[in-house]
Amino acid sequence: MLGLMQNQPLLISSLIDFAERHHGDGEIVSRRIEGDIHRYTWRDVGARARQVANALDGLNLLFSDRVATLAWNGYRHLELYFGVSGSGRVLHTINPRLHPDQIAWIANHAEDQVLCFDATFLPLVQAIHARCPTIRQYVMLCDAGKLPRDSGVPNLIGYEDWIGGKPTAYTWPSFDENSASSMCYTSGTTGNPKAALYSHRSTLLHAYAAALPDVMGISARDSVLPVVPMFHVNAWGIPYSAALTGCKLVFPGPALDGKSVYELIEAEKVTYAAGVPTVWQMLLGHLKPNNLRFSTLRRTVIGGSACPPAMIHAFREEYGVDVLHAWGMTEMSPLGTLCTLKNKHLTMPPEEQMKIRLKQGRAIFGVDMKIVGEDGSELPWDGKTFGDLYVKGPWIVREYFKGEGGDPLVDGWFPTGDVGTIDPEGYLQITDRSKDVIKSGGEWISSIDIENIAMSHPAVQMAACVGMPHPKWDERPIVAVVKKPGADITREDLLEFYEGKIAKWQVPDDVVFVESIPLGATGKMLKTRLRETLKDYKLPTA
Ligand code: ADP
């Protein structure tokens, strides 16, 4: 017997319809590339998203055709999120920080038909358009009359001219909720990038889950600043959860430095912000010397790479901001775990609570996880045993776009490439990427632990731990360190600093001071590149 409830497909268009009807006057604020602040409401987003849909129909784009973006977080990008997916096309957000060759490669692989880009990225588009034969329309996200003359980019139109004059009425089509809605390529640090192809269903389930109190906990009372880019994994789904909850949305545009982010937080009474640790590092770096406080910011979600304990401390103790540590990946839409305490933890002393907060957190309903050993058998949840982390759930990839890389699943589980422990309470702690694991004398050493300790030293700005070949132990850890400007610290100081914080045999064998640590397109440390720069390095203990 079937249930007798109404059968409505979970479609992205229902989010924008809902936002317009139920919190139509909810505010969306964007810092524009021009530097000024733009404000409007969900009602405006809806009207303009429908103009986008009409403009796409005007190009005779078919169902599932790809529309790409190279854009910062801003209102026009938001309109494309809803207009492209809502009308049945697939939004392909491209990370502009990738190498131009890689961008051309993925635009061809995705067979993008339209490319919408911010003016910042005109030089990039000029460099790649000749190599992108599938793109038949370029749209620059600029004000009317601001399109540059003689750009050399064929079939280029300004966004306002493109959608201006198009009807604001449009009947969103209804279709199978499993249809593709958007796509995002992984950064491809090994081999060519592969795309996660999200569906309307996966996006809506993820949007519901993300808003839950133990997940992102976004509500209509929040003013939310996604610093995490809309070009990478849909800004962690925040634009969708915002439409669902009716929170205020604040977009930072291209201005991601500490000063600009701080000023926007204060001006727009931001209560909630989300981003990767490197961005918050810049923000904290601006607050301290200028003796600034937050007047409204209460919570921040930090993920994308391990959040250093020193950062969680600084936010909580010095600024009264609760940090939610999150873990996920492109292949997971991206949320997998978030760290919130359970009722029984509330009576624990603060130091004990902190030990929990440092972990990556508990699985969200919709994500199941397990750690497995080398033979593939499941390992215990004892908080000590390390294993390869596998996940499954309705917003996790089953297969990459065009079947690239073959079947990624193992018995229905997706191997994340991360290594971690799970404790008896279900809290995951990531210790490494599997390719970064350091094996010394048959025992694993967590590079994240070593980095976190270094980062808690007041003279250290950034730290990356890598394994170096050792004749007796196979590998020994060393830590590459960027000093804070003006700070002084020696190799011996830092090695001494490790004493008592980890087991003796886990203390790195050496400290190498470097000018900078190479970062990838999503702001993560590129250890492969770091290892290349250290190829002539010899361990003092070897
Ligand atoms: P990429 O394009 O580099 O794959 P993702 O955003 O998909 O970008 O990266 C996912 C990876 O980032 C995870 O597999 C994990 O290694 C790392 N990561 C994400 N969040 C955390 C976290 N909170 N702690 C440690 N590592 C994290």
Side-chain angles (χ1 to χ4, degrees):
M1 181 160 65
L2 292 177
L4 294 174
M5 295 294 116
Q6 296 178 15
N7 195 3
Q8 282 180 19
L10 299 174
L11 299 179
I12 287 173
S13 53
S14 64
L15 282 177
I16 192 65
D17 278 349
F18 182 80
E20 267 188 286
R21 261 176 88 76
H22 298 275
H23 28 259
D25 62 351
E27 223 185 346
I28 322 281
V29 179
S30 312
R31 192 197 292 278
R32 299 181 355 130
I33 296 166
E34 294 81 359
D36 57 335
I37 297 287
H38 172 276
R39 324 177 163 267
Y40 71 170
T41 65
W42 279 112
R43 221 168 271 133
D44 301 309
V45 182
R48 285 165 58 91
R50 288 190 295 272
Q51 287 183 302
V52 168
N54 279 312
L56 295 171
D57 283 4
L59 292 174
N60 295 321
L61 244 64
L62 303 177
F63 189 68
S64 294
D65 274 350
R66 269 75 70 200
V67 175
T69 61
L70 272 171
W72 301 109
N73 291 8
Y75 62 103
R76 291 184 180 118
H77 208 172
L78 187 68
E79 294 157 12
L80 290 163
Y81 263 53
F82 292 101
V84 172
S85 305
S87 67
R89 283 81 183 208
V90 176
L91 181 79
H92 172 204
T93 52
I94 304 182
N95 185 340
R97 298 200 183 105
L98 294 173
H99 190 276
D101 291 348
Q102 241 178 353
I103 294 180
W105 189 93
I106 65 178
N108 284 321
H109 189 264
E111 299 168 59
D112 294 331
Q113 304 261 331
V114 181
L115 172 60
C116 303
F117 62 96
D118 274 331
T120 323
F121 306 117
L122 177 62
L124 187 51
V125 173
Q126 285 168 324
I128 62 166
H129 72 81
R131 287 181 273 161
C132 300
T134 62
I135 302 178
R136 49 196 177 94
Q137 181 72 61
Y138 290 89
V139 181
M140 189 158 122
L141 303 173
C142 60
D143 290 344
K146 293 285 181 209
L147 201 62
R149 267 189 224 120
D150 308 325
S151 68
V153 178
N155 305 320
L156 176 64
I157 188 169
Y159 182 77
E160 298 299 334
D161 297 322
W162 187 50
I163 67 165
K166 298 282 182 306
T168 54
Y170 186 83
T171 306
W172 297 117
S174 183
F175 43 79
D176 183 341
E177 63 184 18
N178 290 299
S179 306
S181 60
S182 65
M183 67 198 301
C184 182
Y185 280 75
T186 60
S187 40
T189 37
T190 50
N192 279 328
K194 298 194 283 289
L197 187 62
Y198 311 115
S199 70
H200 286 258
R201 174 185 157 82
S202 71
T203 305
L204 262 79
L205 292 176
H206 184 271
Y208 271 118
L212 284 171
D214 270 353
V215 186
M216 300 243 241
I218 293 176
S219 83
R221 291 163 297 290
D222 280 311
S223 168
V224 179
L225 174 79
V227 182
V228 47
M230 290 168 84
F231 57 68
H232 194 63
V233 218
N234 300 326
W236 299 351
I238 291 174
Y240 306 116
S241 295
L244 180 147
T245 58
C247 66
K248 173 176 171 180
L249 257 184
V250 182
F251 288 126
L256 304 180
D257 60 285
K259 181 169 185 287
S260 307
V261 169
Y262 175 75
E263 286 171 0
L264 198 60
I265 288 175
E266 287 302 300
E268 299 305 328
K269 300 192 166 39
V270 168
T271 56
Y272 193 94
V276 296
T278 30
V279 166
W280 299 139
Q281 198 94 37
M282 291 194 278
L283 181 62
L284 291 174
H286 174 68
L287 292 178
K288 198 151 189 131
N290 294 298
N291 217 2
L292 299 168
R293 318 289 308 164
F294 292 115
S295 34
T296 53
L297 187 69
R298 292 294 165 261
R299 281 173 304 154
T300 166
V301 189
I302 304 186
S305 12
C307 179
M311 186 173 282
I312 302 188
H313 270 287
F315 268 116
R316 282 185 68 81
E317 313 308 330
E318 293 172 44
Y319 299 102
V321 176
D322 206 5
V323 171
L324 297 167
H325 194 185
W327 167 84
M329 56 196 309
T330 307
E331 288 88 338
M332 302 177 71
S333 304
L335 295 177
T337 65
L338 254 101
C339 197
T340 55
L341 300 185
K342 295 182 181 178
N343 180 284
K344 63 174 158 191
H345 298 138
L346 298 179
T347 49
M348 279 182 166
E351 321 78 74
E352 293 301 308
Q353 288 185 351
M354 186 51 88
K355 281 189 197 147
I356 302 172
R357 290 184 203 282
L358 301 180
K359 300 193 174 192
Q360 275 73 6
R362 289 179 286 132
I364 306 164
F365 173 73
V367 173
D368 196 6
M369 59 183 185
K370 65 174 181 180
I371 43 172
V372 302
E374 274 169 29
D375 61 355
S377 61
E378 186 167 358
L379 297 171
W381 291 21
D382 58 10
K384 291 188 207 78
T385 314
F386 297 65
D388 288 311
L389 179 64
Y390 284 44
V391 290
K392 65 174 177 184
W395 58 78
I396 297 169
V397 291
R398 175 177 78 224
E399 198 179 312
Y400 290 98
F401 182 51
K402 294 185 172 172
E404 289 301 337
D407 179 3
L409 305 190
V410 179
D411 298 331
W413 293 78
F414 178 76
T416 63
D418 286 332
V419 173
T421 63
I422 305 177
D423 72 17
E425 299 285 343
Y427 286 83
L428 167 74
Q429 181 152 30
I430 301 284
T431 49
D432 262 306
R433 285 293 256 184
S434 53
K435 57 182 184 298
D436 296 332
V437 156
I438 299 165
K439 220 163 183 190
S440 173
E443 298 281 348
W444 281 357
I445 297 178
S446 162
S447 63
I448 294 181
D449 280 351
I450 291 181
E451 286 155 9
N452 282 345
I453 294 172
M455 301 268 280
S456 69
H457 191 288
V460 172
Q461 170 135 7
M462 205 165 175
C465 171
V466 290
M468 285 289 158
H470 190 283
K472 179 164 176 206
W473 303 110
D474 289 333
E475 270 189 320
R476 289 295 302 155
I478 65 161
V479 60
V481 165
V482 181
K483 290 186 211 177
K484 278 198 182 141
D488 203 20
I489 180 174
T490 63
R491 169 186 185 274
E492 286 66 32
D493 293 338
L494 190 60
L495 292 180
E496 210 170 287
F497 189 67
Y498 278 97
E499 274 174 31
K501 297 191 173 76
I502 39 172
K504 262 209 172 78
W505 63 272
Q506 296 173 329
V507 173
D509 279 13
D510 200 8
V511 178
V512 182
F513 292 101
V514 292
E515 288 296 312
S516 65
I517 287 168
L519 297 180
T522 54
K524 295 177 209 209
M525 297 191 284
L526 275 186
K527 292 200 185 170
T528 36
R529 191 140 341 131
L530 178 66
R531 281 194 206 94
E532 279 164 28
T533 63
L534 294 171
K535 66 179 186 316
D536 297 326
Y537 171 86
K538 287 266 172 317
L539 274 172
T541 48

